[in-house]
Amino acid sequence: MRRWHKPIPLSSLLKARVPDTPGVYMLLGDESDLSSVLKIAPARSLRAAFERALEPADSYQPATPEALMFFETVSETAEAERLLGAYKRKHGQNPILNSPF
């Protein structure tokens, strides 16, 4: 059973709260709205993914994430693909910031 960590606001002061382990993460457009999913992706290091989300986009980005939530898993790619498929079936499209992986 996977256990999601509650959303963590994107702030460099909070990066120590994110483990340096593999897992799946979601970027949220609104910290208090779990349905505001902007991206679902696997990460070999959740902390590195958090740090990348802190960096400003190099080009146009249709939405700006405010928070990240995650769960730790050793099969991060398979779990992310499963979650992404479920999201696409429910909403008819991928989250706005997702690109194929």
Side-chain angles (χ1 to χ4, degrees), residues 13-49:
L13 299 174
L14 301 175
K15 71 181 180 182
R17 292 176 52 189
V18 181
D20 190 19
T21 58
V24 176
Y25 69 95
M26 288 195 293
L27 291 177
L28 303 174
D30 182 354
E31 176 188 356
S32 62
D33 181 6
L34 299 181
S35 68
S36 66
V37 177
L38 299 176
K39 183 174 186 172
I40 300 170
R44 290 187 181 163
S45 167
L46 290 165
R47 184 171 299 150

Side-chain angles (χ1 to χ4, degrees), residues 8 15 17 31 34 52 54 57 61-64 69 81 86 95:
I8 299 174
K15 71 181 180 182
R17 292 176 52 189
E31 176 188 356
L34 299 181
R52 281 191 306 274
L54 290 171
Q61 188 169 326
T64 304
M69 62 186 289
E81 288 174 357

Side-chain angles (χ1 to χ4, degrees), residues 49-91:
F50 186 87
E51 290 171 344
R52 281 191 306 274
L54 290 171
E55 298 171 4
D58 292 338
S59 60
Y60 171 74
Q61 188 169 326
T64 304
E66 288 186 9
L68 177 139
M69 62 186 289
F70 63 88
F71 70 88
E72 297 175 73
T73 179
V74 292
S75 59
E76 69 275 1
T77 302
E79 284 291 324
E81 288 174 357
R82 187 186 63 70
L83 288 168
L84 195 54
Y87 183 94
K88 190 172 183 176
R89 280 189 300 279
K90 183 175 182 177
H91 300 283

